[in-house]
Amino acid sequence: RDRSPSRGLGDVYKRQLFTNPLVYQLPYAGNVREGISYADDARIFDLYLPEKTEAPAPVVVLVTGYPDSGFEERLGMKQMQIQAFKDWAKLLAASGMAAVIYSNVEPVEDAFKLLEFLRCEAQQLQIDSERIAVWSCSGSVPNAINVLHKDSAVRCAALLYGFMLDSAGSCVLQETAQAIGFANPHDGMKNFPENTPILVIRAGKDEFSGLNDSIDNFEREAVARNSPVSVISYPEGVHAFDILDDSRRSVEMIKLCVGFLRLRLNVY
């Protein structure tokens, strides 16, 4: 079975997903520290800092959910080389927050290794170890939810057009993860991140079967638990709207994510 993250995608669509720029950007002169090892030479990250860092900056980790070896074998690049990820990191840095994009060997374990490193080396890295947030999208979202479930110190998360958690009687997430190779370290709604503020962007025209149903079920679970989850519906949004659709509404959604992260990380 083809377990590639590109399974079922046309060549043009794949090229756009991984090479298109973010449709909204801000000027960023660059203050980037590249190739920092957080465990060994196979596990590195790039740190995008605000241009002026007079005080330790809050940091947003762009959590990925595919093992880099399989991703690179199929698509010729690591996830941290995706243009949109670089552009999101630049946008966050231009908005007063540090941002981290990284490589992995095992996506579930390595997310926690990275967070541990960032906290231990926060002073040297010029980041605030107590103001860490998560951003994630698409098939990487289940891994990000696992981080939120197990690490209650993460301040908040912005999750875009992603698979969430399987509800009772559903196995959509499990089957999709097996089909296209992203991590699914979950046992259904038992792994719901109860108390973390989360912004979810739901793309109404998402073409991935079961994805929006999983968001709807996640929202119902949040209401039942009285959890601080906000689901914003973008009815005209397509999957990866932030790089495939340069409409005014897509730009608004990107700005909404940035504003949410700034608010929750106390960036004024």
Side-chain angles (χ1 to χ4, degrees), residues 124-158:
Q124 178 186 349
L125 296 171
Q126 296 177 283
I127 59 175
D128 187 339
S129 63
E130 295 184 357
R131 290 190 291 164
I132 297 177
V134 160
W135 177 99
S136 194
C137 69
S138 192
S140 294
V141 166
N143 197 35
I145 291 176
N146 187 57
V147 169
L148 303 176
H149 172 63
K150 293 186 176 180
D151 189 343
S152 60
V154 173
R155 281 279 190 97
C156 63

Side-chain angles (χ1 to χ4, degrees), residues 13 23-24 66 75 86 100 134 136 161 176 181 188 225 247 263:
Y13 184 65
V23 300
Y24 172 69
Y66 294 93
L75 299 167
K86 295 179 181 180
V100 168
V134 160
S136 194
Y161 48 82
T176 307
R225 294 172 181 249
S247 68
L263 177 66

